[in-house]
Amino acid sequence: MKITVTKNKLEQIHGDVLAVFLFQGEKVSGEIEKLDKAISGSISEAVRLGDFKGKLYETTSIYTHGKVPAARILLVGAGKRNEFEPRYARNAAGAAARQAIRLGAKKLAIFLREDIDAETAIEGVGLATFDPGLYKTKKNENRGEIAEIVLIGQADDKSVKRAQTVTEATNWVRKLITEPANVMTPDQLVEETRKLAKNYKFGIEVIGEKEAAKLGMGAFVGVAKGSEESSHVVVLKYKGGGKDTLGIVGKGITFDSGGLSLKPSKGMWEMKMDMSGAATCLGIMKWIGETRPKANVIAVLPLTENLPSGRALKPGDVVQALNGKTIEVTNTDAEGRLVLADALVYAQKLGASHLVDLATLTGAINVALGNVAAGVMGKPDSWIEKIVNLGKEAGELFWQLPTYSDYKELLKSDIADLNNAPGGGQPSAVTGAGAIAGAMFLLEFVNEKIPLAHLDIAATAWLSGERPYLAKGPTGFGVRTLVKLIEDMEKE
Ligand code: BES
Ligand code: MN
Ligand code: ZN
């Protein structure tokens, strides 16, 4: 996507669509008023007649009849001014882009204003234009493809570049997740990782199933056993400077059938997205490769399928993780925490001083927070708050759930140190709290002094329905927040 910046007047802008943002209930004023005058008051007329109300993400197109060079003006609702949040600006730009695509636009001009800067607009448009139809043999004739964005206003090269790299990394993550599980196998993800390592000169380590077993990754191997595909734990290492090393650990289940604790068939196809955490980590590494920040980051990705077979884990089996703890597998569908346990321990062995894991871990997080905010849990609170705050800046919402030690009750097993699925085994004095139980389990694999933020992105990584500003399917949730986190490390 080509990006040009201009300070021209709105009445001088060329393009298929010229998008202008308007708040609900506000009069057309300033530069937009001048444009309105040039097209005989058609904008204010649309507002006066109530055809355009300015509701958040509402769009109305207005024809210019050659009175100005732009073929159409697209009015884009920004909602009520006093309810405005910065992330709405990104989304509104996205809504404009998706409507422009429907109109067949190739060139989209956007009028920037104080509450919608260049970076936000580029991100919004870039994310909105992701096309999930990877395998369609015919191009949808109705669809445009935005080849150029014209930004009208202020934009410095640095923020344009930043928005482009972040958006490209995020859309690449979305492509990886969109790929079906028969294509995006563990081997294929290893291949993608190798390509990154080669392109960006990262250190890489690929641990096969046999080696993982030898190392003592019994929890990972337990899950991997049931699959005919070869499974791997891959590590990418980037040394950019500074005393800290951030370990990012991504759940990479390329298909989660549940294993012998089989999931219902309805919606099971969506479980190709269960590698979203790993894909997100790869996207972050891609961004790192492009921008080479002054920070140290290692990514640890346990990659396998979770399938039933004659060799699969059985409910009641006991496995031993890399830190020596034994786990009774009361439900083979709680496979994410098993593979993450070994990956977290391994990241610490490799010298991670701070940990973030990204995982589509529980259906319970959807019950708690819906697909609006991701769950964040871990320790210490300052580390969690950092994620929440940076997420807010990035336009990704997180909400902290508690990890009171009372919840440890959920992890008890009669036969082993831990069970992987509370309620699946013995009745417990503490009940519910499915998403928290996942976090409590993971915390058992993190050393006392090491911060862990566990991001449960099960509901936010994948949208079953589309939004005005986003296609349904993968969102790439987490990339933007982690990019902020790494930028934050650079400051220290
Ligand atoms: N991958 C699933 C979680 C999930 C659910 C992701 C819906 C995306 C959408 C995970 O492996 C899982 O199956 N979790 C179980 C845990 C339970 C058995 C303790 C769940 O949430 O039901
Ligand atoms: Mn599962
Ligand atoms: Zn899973």
Side-chain angles (χ1 to χ4, degrees):
M1 205 156 40
K2 189 177 154 200
I3 297 170
T4 48
V5 182
T6 172
K7 296 215 167 64
N8 282 349
K9 298 270 166 231
L10 294 180
E11 310 87 84
Q12 298 168 330
I13 298 297
H14 291 256
D16 304 310
V17 171
L18 165 57
V20 298
F21 300 86
L22 290 170
F23 282 106
Q24 198 169 335
E26 284 188 8
K27 261 189 60 190
V28 172
S29 65
E31 295 301 310
I32 302 176
E33 192 178 1
K34 288 183 203 154
L35 173 65
D36 187 38
K37 291 225 168 88
I39 57 168
S40 320
S42 297
I43 298 175
S44 44
E45 180 88 339
V47 173
R48 194 178 58 78
L49 291 174
D51 294 10
F52 176 79
K53 297 186 179 65
K55 289 197 174 142
L56 191 57
Y57 313 143
E58 175 188 357
T59 54
T60 299
S61 41
I62 290 186
Y63 301 98
T64 59
H65 304 286
K67 290 173 189 162
V68 296
R72 310 170 187 81
I73 314 289
L74 189 67
L75 306 181
V76 185
K80 291 188 182 135
R81 190 185 282 270
N82 62 352
E83 289 173 4
F84 188 76
E85 305 249 2
R87 68 177 182 282
Y88 294 165
R90 185 183 293 98
N91 299 346
R98 279 170 65 79
Q99 183 57 21
I101 289 170
R102 276 182 219 112
L103 296 170
K106 300 269 176 291
K107 187 168 171 181
L108 169 64
I110 296 182
F111 178 44
L112 304 176
R113 42 189 293 168
E114 64 281 6
D115 20 44
I116 172 153
D117 61 20
E119 200 172 327
T120 312
I122 295 166
E123 282 183 9
V125 174
L127 297 172
T129 51
F130 173 74
D131 181 0
L134 301 185
Y135 290 91
K136 288 192 187 291
T137 53
K138 280 197 215 105
K139 272 232 165 240
N140 186 341
E141 280 155 24
N142 262 331
R143 282 185 52 98
E145 210 170 299
I146 296 188
E148 183 176 357
I149 320 179
V150 180
L151 300 172
I152 306 142
Q154 284 287 347
D156 61 277
D157 290 351
K158 203 170 147 233
S159 42
V160 169
K161 184 89 206 347
R162 185 187 186 282
Q164 271 179 309
T165 48
V166 171
T167 312
E168 272 164 28
T170 310
N171 283 344
W172 179 62
V173 169
R174 294 163 82 191
K175 178 184 177 295
L176 296 180
I177 300 171
T178 303
E179 289 285 1
N182 62 333
V183 174
M184 202 45 68
T185 56
D187 272 334
Q188 187 55 40
L189 272 174
V190 170
E191 194 48 42
E192 301 292 342
T193 311
R194 284 194 202 279
K195 274 190 252 169
L196 283 187
K198 187 155 180 270
N199 269 348
Y200 300 120
K201 304 200 164 47
F202 295 143
I204 180 169
E205 201 180 315
V206 180
I207 302 168
E209 214 174 311
K210 277 208 189 96
E211 204 188 334
K214 233 183 268 162
L215 285 169
M217 296 181 169
F220 170 76
V221 171
V223 177
K225 274 195 320 174
S227 165
E228 299 278 334
E229 295 285 341
S230 46
S231 304
H232 316 270
V233 177
V234 298
V235 182
L236 278 178
K237 300 176 193 172
Y238 169 76
K239 253 186 164 359
K243 64 177 196 325
D244 294 338
T245 298
L246 176 67
I248 54 176
V249 177
K251 175 176 173 183
I253 300 294
T254 61
F255 190 76
D256 181 12
S257 70
L260 284 173
S261 310
L262 195 65
K263 287 182 182 297
S265 55
K266 186 170 175 274
M268 195 202 273
W269 68 273
E270 285 185 328
M271 282 302 127
K272 66 175 181 175
M273 60 73 92
D274 214 19
M275 36 59 81
S276 296
T280 305
C281 290
L282 289 178
I284 294 157
M285 294 309 290
K286 182 176 163 62
W287 172 83
I288 287 175
E290 290 290 330
T291 58
R292 309 209 78 82
K294 289 182 195 63
N296 305 315
V297 182
I298 55 175
V300 181
L301 315 176
L303 308 173
T304 182
E305 299 178 318
N306 185 26
L307 290 181
S309 80
R311 304 200 308 146
L313 272 178
K314 300 167 287 295
D317 283 0
V318 175
V319 295
Q320 186 168 34
L322 187 54
N323 69 345
K325 289 195 182 175
T326 56
I327 307 160
E328 179 189 13
V329 181
T330 47
N331 188 324
T332 65
D333 199 9
E335 85 296 341
R337 64 200 73 183
L338 295 176
V339 302
L340 289 172
D342 282 333
L344 285 168
V345 176
Y346 198 63
Q348 292 164 92
K349 280 191 193 289
L350 293 177
S353 61
H354 294 69
L355 289 168
V356 175
D357 81 79
L358 295 110
T360 48
L361 206 71
T362 69
I365 201 66
N366 185 47
V367 177
L369 302 173
N371 61 13
V372 171
V376 55
M377 291 150 270
K379 54 144 192 175
D381 280 342
S382 58
W383 185 236
I384 306 302
E385 277 154 23
K386 205 188 254 292
I387 296 284
V388 173
N389 291 333
L390 294 172
K392 215 172 270 169
E393 284 176 27
E396 294 177 326
L397 299 178
F398 291 90
W399 196 259
Q400 184 181 5
L401 299 180
T403 49
Y404 301 124
S405 56
D406 309 54
Y407 290 113
K408 278 192 189 168
E409 189 72 26
L410 289 163
L411 304 178
K412 284 190 174 159
S413 160
D414 286 341
I415 189 172
D417 298 331
L418 303 164
N419 83 78
N420 76 329
Q426 297 78 34
S428 155
V430 172
T431 57
I436 295 171
M440 297 307 291
F441 184 91
L442 296 178
L443 282 167
E444 294 291 320
F445 300 90
V446 178
N447 299 337
E448 207 174 318
K449 293 211 181 74
I450 295 189
L452 167 71
H454 157 56
L455 314 185
D456 193 335
I457 56 170
T460 43
W462 178 274
L463 300 178
S464 300
E466 64 177 346
R467 296 201 176 138
Y469 52 89
L470 218 56
K472 61 182 165 187
T475 59
F477 189 100
V479 174
R480 297 204 304 273
T481 303
L482 269 286
V483 161
K484 290 253 181 211
L485 184 66
I486 294 162
E487 286 174 341
D488 190 70
M489 286 173 74
E490 282 191 282
K491 288 181 208 145
E492 277 155 24

